[in-house]
Amino acid sequence: MAARGPTPRTLRLTLQYDGTGLVGWQRQKQGVSVQGLLEAALGRLAGRPVAVAGAGRTDAGVHALGQVAHLDTAVHLPPATLERRLNDALPADINVLSAELTDRRFHARRSAVARSYLYQIARRRTAFGKPFVWWIREPLDIARMREAAEVFAGLHDFRSFTDADPEEKSTRVLIERVQIVERGDLILVRLEGSHFLWKMARRLVGALAAAGRGEIGPADIARWLEVSSGEPARLTAPAAGLFLERVYYPGDERLGEPVPVVNL
Amino acid sequence: MAARGPTPRTLRLTLQYDGTGLVGWQRQKQGVSVQGLLEAALGRLAGRPVAVAGAGRTDAGVHALGQVAHLDTAVHLPPATLERRLNDALPADINVLSAELTDRRFHARRSAVARSYLYQIARRRTAFGKPFVWWIREPLDIARMREAAEVFAGLHDFRSFTDADPEEKSTRVLIERVQIVERGDLILVRLEGSHFLWKMARRLVGALAAAGRGEIGPADIARWLEVSSGEPARLTAPAAGLFLERVYYPGDERLGEPVPVVNL
């Protein structure tokens, strides 16, 4: 019988990263990406090229608390050892929270049933939170923000809230819930939905902030969901405040109350 | 009668800063200091040189949640306006929390009756907290840390816990309390005392961590408080985890439970 190589297996990684100095999740021609760093580190450990697929593409400056990725690998290491070696090989702004063997049919993006994004708005200047918050000087009316948020819930066509993306077939998205809570001088906005289109999370938050400032109302949002508009693009919230918080797979329990990353 | 200039007044500033990119509080020949940045910004606002005195000198990489400084100024601006203009002139890693007119006899350092330092130890790697925590891989026994902490309480000679400093006349310090609390994967150590000698806070925390790892015990600490020793210097905790949390003046209420700066 011919010698067989090690059985290929699927490894699921959960990771957090500070997106400040990164061009985002996806490998780019220029700049440092999470995918690029992970593939380079795993390639060195495996001694051959390794391809990693992520659950969601995060843009430059966007962070992750629980990005999920998978790889088919023949690396001969127990997952806990791989996790440690991987962290030792990665820069400090990327942190592998867990590495687990999983069902070979598992696909980080295609198996996901929902995503949660967290956005941090700061009501005051802060020396520590700069890369992780959007500081809004004007007073924000939380009740108006919540009123506006309700309009987003449900299955809508979000084409006003995204830019053309050749990888997306449809702009219809199910938004399950938009939560807005206050924690000290922070306003946390949590968006839960089936998936998020390119720039969509930042444009939803931008529209909510405009509602909080009293510049727009629920009727404007309702109209933008009916008829294509360039308005939401002009309201896009900065990348710094945004975190891919959690990717949900079948059977996963939902997170409890949102917790701020920094305390103000 | 001759024209008189504006009445001089004392302004009290409370500020926070991320010490990562700074050489510390005090102006140095090389590098960017908090004092230097404040004096430059205030000088531009006042149109003449302004000298600022701080309550405590923090070293390079050490942060502040509530540093206090005072200046005698003739700047013709209401404190709230000055605070806003000052923040607009300062880089993002320094933030003036308040500017208030105060008694002319107020001196940020000499009027202070106690100081509180907060230290963040992380039990796990983190993508966000790197500049704000000391990540300790080995398991830490909290009960042993608390046992060791009790030895520090009281009036002791802390010469083993500092380096020679020409500005200090005595190495006797009153430590009022050492609090150790767990918040998720963080261990927060709060040190409260009359004042802190150069490097003292980091050496106290270093000794507590060594106790938590089981390398030293309360008897070692008691000995170092009796007889001069070079051991604490070898245990010095990194600057990154340390925050000057609060400076207390007569009549100030003490802070409640310590709150982490980042959530792990």
mmCIF file of all heavy atoms in Angstrom, chain A residues 14-34:
data_model
loop_
_atom_site.group_PDB
_atom_site.id
_atom_site.type_symbol
_atom_site.label_atom_id
_atom_site.label_comp_id
_atom_site.label_asym_id
_atom_site.label_seq_id
_atom_site.Cartn_x
_atom_site.Cartn_y
_atom_site.Cartn_z
ATOM 1 N N THR A 14 -11.038 31.410 15.894
ATOM 2 C CA THR A 14 -11.775 32.600 16.319
ATOM 3 C C THR A 14 -10.727 33.619 16.719
ATOM 4 O O THR A 14 -9.784 33.286 17.439
ATOM 5 C CB THR A 14 -12.696 32.280 17.508
ATOM 6 O OG1 THR A 14 -13.520 31.173 17.153
ATOM 7 C CG2 THR A 14 -13.581 33.473 17.852
ATOM 8 N N LEU A 15 -10.859 34.837 16.199
ATOM 9 C CA LEU A 15 -9.800 35.805 16.483
ATOM 10 C C LEU A 15 -10.318 37.213 16.662
ATOM 11 O O LEU A 15 -11.387 37.568 16.182
ATOM 12 C CB LEU A 15 -8.715 35.769 15.418
ATOM 13 C CG LEU A 15 -9.057 35.910 13.951
ATOM 14 C CD1 LEU A 15 -7.964 36.668 13.241
ATOM 15 C CD2 LEU A 15 -9.204 34.532 13.310
ATOM 16 N N GLN A 16 -9.532 37.982 17.385
ATOM 17 C CA GLN A 16 -9.823 39.409 17.581
ATOM 18 C C GLN A 16 -8.668 40.186 16.973
ATOM 19 O O GLN A 16 -7.542 39.699 16.917
ATOM 20 C CB GLN A 16 -9.986 39.735 19.063
ATOM 21 C CG GLN A 16 -8.797 39.351 19.931
ATOM 22 C CD GLN A 16 -8.901 39.825 21.380
ATOM 23 O OE1 GLN A 16 -7.896 39.975 22.055
ATOM 24 N NE2 GLN A 16 -10.113 40.040 21.892
ATOM 25 N N TYR A 17 -8.938 41.373 16.495
ATOM 26 C CA TYR A 17 -7.843 42.235 16.039
ATOM 27 C C TYR A 17 -8.186 43.702 16.145
ATOM 28 O O TYR A 17 -9.343 44.102 16.106
ATOM 29 C CB TYR A 17 -7.371 41.889 14.616
ATOM 30 C CG TYR A 17 -8.437 41.675 13.567
ATOM 31 C CD1 TYR A 17 -8.981 42.753 12.866
ATOM 32 C CD2 TYR A 17 -8.862 40.394 13.246
ATOM 33 C CE1 TYR A 17 -9.936 42.548 11.881
ATOM 34 C CE2 TYR A 17 -9.824 40.185 12.265
ATOM 35 C CZ TYR A 17 -10.364 41.263 11.585
ATOM 36 O OH TYR A 17 -11.312 41.060 10.624
ATOM 37 N N ASP A 18 -7.113 44.465 16.336
ATOM 38 C CA ASP A 18 -7.162 45.924 16.324
ATOM 39 C C ASP A 18 -6.863 46.318 14.882
ATOM 40 O O ASP A 18 -5.737 46.164 14.406
ATOM 41 C CB ASP A 18 -6.086 46.435 17.290
ATOM 42 C CG ASP A 18 -5.919 47.945 17.248
ATOM 43 O OD1 ASP A 18 -6.500 48.598 16.348
ATOM 44 O OD2 ASP A 18 -5.207 48.474 18.115
ATOM 45 N N GLY A 19 -7.878 46.812 14.178
ATOM 46 C CA GLY A 19 -7.727 47.072 12.750
ATOM 47 C C GLY A 19 -6.988 48.356 12.400
ATOM 48 O O GLY A 19 -6.769 48.639 11.214
ATOM 49 N N THR A 20 -6.595 49.115 13.437
ATOM 50 C CA THR A 20 -6.010 50.447 13.207
ATOM 51 C C THR A 20 -4.896 50.466 12.155
ATOM 52 O O THR A 20 -4.906 51.282 11.243
ATOM 53 C CB THR A 20 -5.456 51.025 14.534
ATOM 54 O OG1 THR A 20 -6.464 50.894 15.532
ATOM 55 C CG2 THR A 20 -5.078 52.491 14.377
ATOM 56 N N GLY A 21 -3.946 49.537 12.273
ATOM 57 C CA GLY A 21 -2.803 49.567 11.370
ATOM 58 C C GLY A 21 -2.923 48.588 10.208
ATOM 59 O O GLY A 21 -1.937 48.300 9.544
ATOM 60 N N LEU A 22 -4.128 48.074 9.980
ATOM 61 C CA LEU A 22 -4.317 47.018 8.978
ATOM 62 C C LEU A 22 -5.182 47.513 7.818
ATOM 63 O O LEU A 22 -6.010 48.399 7.983
ATOM 64 C CB LEU A 22 -4.997 45.803 9.636
ATOM 65 C CG LEU A 22 -4.260 45.206 10.848
ATOM 66 C CD1 LEU A 22 -5.158 44.279 11.644
ATOM 67 C CD2 LEU A 22 -3.003 44.458 10.386
ATOM 68 N N VAL A 23 -4.998 46.905 6.644
ATOM 69 C CA VAL A 23 -5.820 47.297 5.485
ATOM 70 C C VAL A 23 -7.161 46.556 5.497
ATOM 71 O O VAL A 23 -7.950 46.686 4.566
ATOM 72 C CB VAL A 23 -5.103 47.034 4.142
ATOM 73 C CG1 VAL A 23 -3.849 47.902 4.025
ATOM 74 C CG2 VAL A 23 -4.768 45.556 3.970
ATOM 75 N N GLY A 24 -7.413 45.787 6.559
ATOM 76 C CA GLY A 24 -8.656 45.049 6.665
ATOM 77 C C GLY A 24 -8.405 43.552 6.703
ATOM 78 O O GLY A 24 -7.261 43.106 6.819
ATOM 79 N N TRP A 25 -9.501 42.778 6.634
ATOM 80 C CA TRP A 25 -9.366 41.327 6.655
ATOM 81 C C TRP A 25 -8.642 40.816 5.417
ATOM 82 O O TRP A 25 -7.693 40.039 5.493
ATOM 83 C CB TRP A 25 -10.747 40.654 6.747
ATOM 84 C CG TRP A 25 -10.652 39.197 6.403
ATOM 85 C CD1 TRP A 25 -10.926 38.611 5.191
ATOM 86 C CD2 TRP A 25 -10.143 38.154 7.237
ATOM 87 N NE1 TRP A 25 -10.638 37.278 5.228
ATOM 88 C CE2 TRP A 25 -10.156 36.968 6.479
ATOM 89 C CE3 TRP A 25 -9.691 38.110 8.565
ATOM 90 C CZ2 TRP A 25 -9.725 35.739 7.003
ATOM 91 C CZ3 TRP A 25 -9.263 36.887 9.089
ATOM 92 C CH2 TRP A 25 -9.285 35.722 8.310
ATOM 93 N N GLN A 26 -9.118 41.260 4.248
ATOM 94 C CA GLN A 26 -8.719 40.629 2.998
ATOM 95 C C GLN A 26 -7.328 41.039 2.487
ATOM 96 O O GLN A 26 -6.968 42.206 2.556
ATOM 97 C CB GLN A 26 -9.742 40.988 1.919
ATOM 98 C CG GLN A 26 -9.785 40.016 0.772
ATOM 99 C CD GLN A 26 -11.109 40.134 0.010
ATOM 100 O OE1 GLN A 26 -11.704 41.211 -0.057
ATOM 101 N NE2 GLN A 26 -11.584 39.027 -0.544
ATOM 102 N N ARG A 27 -6.598 40.055 1.985
ATOM 103 C CA ARG A 27 -5.300 40.300 1.361
ATOM 104 C C ARG A 27 -5.434 41.372 0.279
ATOM 105 O O ARG A 27 -6.380 41.353 -0.499
ATOM 106 C CB ARG A 27 -4.804 39.009 0.717
ATOM 107 C CG ARG A 27 -3.366 38.659 1.058
ATOM 108 C CD ARG A 27 -2.917 37.398 0.368
ATOM 109 N NE ARG A 27 -3.744 36.234 0.618
ATOM 110 C CZ ARG A 27 -4.663 35.729 -0.206
ATOM 111 N NH1 ARG A 27 -4.876 36.288 -1.385
ATOM 112 N NH2 ARG A 27 -5.340 34.656 0.126
ATOM 113 N N GLN A 28 -4.521 42.339 0.260
ATOM 114 C CA GLN A 28 -4.528 43.403 -0.742
ATOM 115 C C GLN A 28 -3.171 43.435 -1.416
ATOM 116 O O GLN A 28 -2.218 42.847 -0.921
ATOM 117 C CB GLN A 28 -4.767 44.761 -0.064
ATOM 118 C CG GLN A 28 -5.962 44.842 0.862
ATOM 119 C CD GLN A 28 -7.260 45.052 0.118
ATOM 120 O OE1 GLN A 28 -7.259 45.614 -0.967
ATOM 121 N NE2 GLN A 28 -8.359 44.578 0.691
ATOM 122 N N LYS A 29 -3.116 44.142 -2.524
ATOM 123 C CA LYS A 29 -1.810 44.275 -3.202
ATOM 124 C C LYS A 29 -0.838 45.047 -2.322
ATOM 125 O O LYS A 29 0.341 44.778 -2.286
ATOM 126 C CB LYS A 29 -1.996 44.980 -4.555
ATOM 127 C CG LYS A 29 -2.492 44.019 -5.646
ATOM 128 C CD LYS A 29 -2.708 44.737 -6.971
ATOM 129 C CE LYS A 29 -3.639 43.930 -7.877
ATOM 130 N NZ LYS A 29 -4.757 44.748 -8.385
ATOM 131 N N GLN A 30 -1.360 46.047 -1.617
ATOM 132 C CA GLN A 30 -0.536 46.891 -0.751
ATOM 133 C C GLN A 30 -1.021 46.758 0.696
ATOM 134 O O GLN A 30 -2.209 46.664 0.920
ATOM 135 C CB GLN A 30 -0.692 48.368 -1.151
ATOM 136 C CG GLN A 30 -0.232 48.706 -2.552
ATOM 137 C CD GLN A 30 1.238 49.018 -2.597
ATOM 138 O OE1 GLN A 30 1.744 49.723 -1.745
ATOM 139 N NE2 GLN A 30 1.944 48.477 -3.583
ATOM 140 N N GLY A 31 -0.099 46.800 1.637
ATOM 141 C CA GLY A 31 -0.487 46.896 3.041
ATOM 142 C C GLY A 31 -0.664 45.553 3.712
ATOM 143 O O GLY A 31 -0.692 44.509 3.074
ATOM 144 N N VAL A 32 -0.810 45.627 5.045
ATOM 145 C CA VAL A 32 -0.864 44.432 5.871
ATOM 146 C C VAL A 32 -2.312 44.073 6.173
ATOM 147 O O VAL A 32 -3.060 44.882 6.713
ATOM 148 C CB VAL A 32 -0.094 44.676 7.191
ATOM 149 C CG1 VAL A 32 -0.147 43.447 8.074
ATOM 150 C CG2 VAL A 32 1.349 45.065 6.896
ATOM 151 N N SER A 33 -2.715 42.836 5.821
ATOM 152 C CA SER A 33 -4.081 42.375 6.085
ATOM 153 C C SER A 33 -4.047 41.237 7.099
ATOM 154 O O SER A 33 -3.030 40.563 7.273
ATOM 155 C CB SER A 33 -4.715 41.860 4.796
ATOM 156 O OG SER A 33 -4.049 40.693 4.357
ATOM 157 N N VAL A 34 -5.196 41.015 7.776
ATOM 158 C CA VAL A 34 -5.284 39.923 8.736
ATOM 159 C C VAL A 34 -5.110 38.589 8.012
ATOM 160 O O VAL A 34 -4.330 37.720 8.443
ATOM 161 C CB VAL A 34 -6.645 39.952 9.463
ATOM 162 C CG1 VAL A 34 -6.695 38.878 10.537
ATOM 163 C CG2 VAL A 34 -6.898 41.318 10.085
#
